[in-house]
């Protein structure tokens, strides 16, 4: 696990009429990555935006674009998202029968490969692809919409996945309903990347976004405190 806790604001909660400004603003406000939610109205019951939007925002920031594909089938679209400028491409374990192939394909294109699990999917769904991934994304809401409440049932799954990861250099990302109130519990369970949409894009841009990101980051650090205490107790 990396020492840093990374914050990946979800553009789903941004003002789409001013998307370019919102990307620049949240990047300057301290975002580590930019989370881009791609929804197809089929795998999830909502439609967001596609690869042309990724291409349009790519020149606006040097931050990694963390692209979460909630689409099925996913395989035919991997190349277009890679070419549009995604850095991390995450596919859902539930999106099709050939997860192993999709993950290999993402890495072959020189991108970081991520796999995501819906709340009802057990961690065993990814036990045979652990050596193919750079990131595991645990959904802490049912995918499709921003602004939903965090599902506490996923905390145990996050902890189990952290154990499964062992020493592998894999990020463990949580997505859905993250706020300063639950960030520490997600981190204590083993998450090191926090996606947040509505908890970041509230207020009036710049300074508000910086405060919102700082509040999540500071709260999240509380989730690391027990481990730090244990380490120092052990000498
Ligand atoms: C849900 C998306 C999330 C979500 C995050 O399908 O994958 O990224 O929009 O938004 P909040 O933080 O508002 O739940
Ligand atoms: Zn997402």
């Amino acid at each position: 696990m990396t020492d840093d806790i990374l914050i990946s604001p979800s553009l789903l909660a941004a003002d789409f009429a001013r998307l370019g400004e919102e990307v620049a603003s949240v990047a300057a406000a301290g975002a580590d990555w930019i989370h881009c939610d791609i929804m197809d109205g089929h795998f999830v019951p909502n439609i967001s935006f596609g690869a042309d939007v990724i291409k349009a925002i790519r020149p606006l920031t040097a931050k990694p674009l963390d692209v979460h594909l909630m689409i099925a089938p996913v395989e035919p679209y991997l190349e277009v998202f890679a070419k549009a400028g995604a850095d991390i491409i995450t596919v859902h374990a539930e999106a099709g029968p050939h997860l192993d192939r999709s993950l290999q394909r993402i890495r072959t294109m020189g991108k970081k490969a991520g796999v995501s699990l819906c709340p009802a999917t057990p961690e065993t769904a990814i036990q045979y692809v652990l050596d193919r991934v750079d990131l595991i994304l645990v959904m802490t809401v049912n995918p499709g919409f921003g602004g939903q409440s965090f599902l506490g049932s996923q905390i145990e799954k996050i902890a189990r996945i952290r154990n499964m990861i062992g020493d592998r250099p894999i990020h463990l990302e949580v997505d859905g309903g993250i706020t300063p109130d639950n960030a520490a519990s997600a981190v204590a369970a083993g998450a090191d990347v926090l996606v947040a949409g509505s908890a970041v894009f509230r207020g009036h841009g710049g300074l508000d976004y910086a405060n919102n990101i700082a509040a999540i980051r500071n709260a999240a650090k509380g989730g690391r405190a027990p481990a730090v205490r244990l380490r120092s107790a052990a000498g």
Side-chain angles (χ1 to χ4, degrees), residues 10 12 35-39 66 68 70 137 139 175-176 195:
S10 167
L12 199 61
H35 189 81
C36 307
D37 285 308
I38 311 297
M39 302 178 177
D66 169 29
H68 177 192
M70 287 162 275
L137 189 170
M139 290 303 308
D175 183 8
V195 175

Side-chain angles (χ1 to χ4, degrees), residues 127-148:
Q127 66 181 324
Y128 298 112
V129 295
L130 288 175
D131 291 320
R132 300 239 186 263
V133 299
D134 304 291
L135 175 143
I136 298 168
L137 189 170
V138 175
M139 290 303 308
T140 43
V141 297
N142 284 293
F145 302 94
Q148 304 179 78

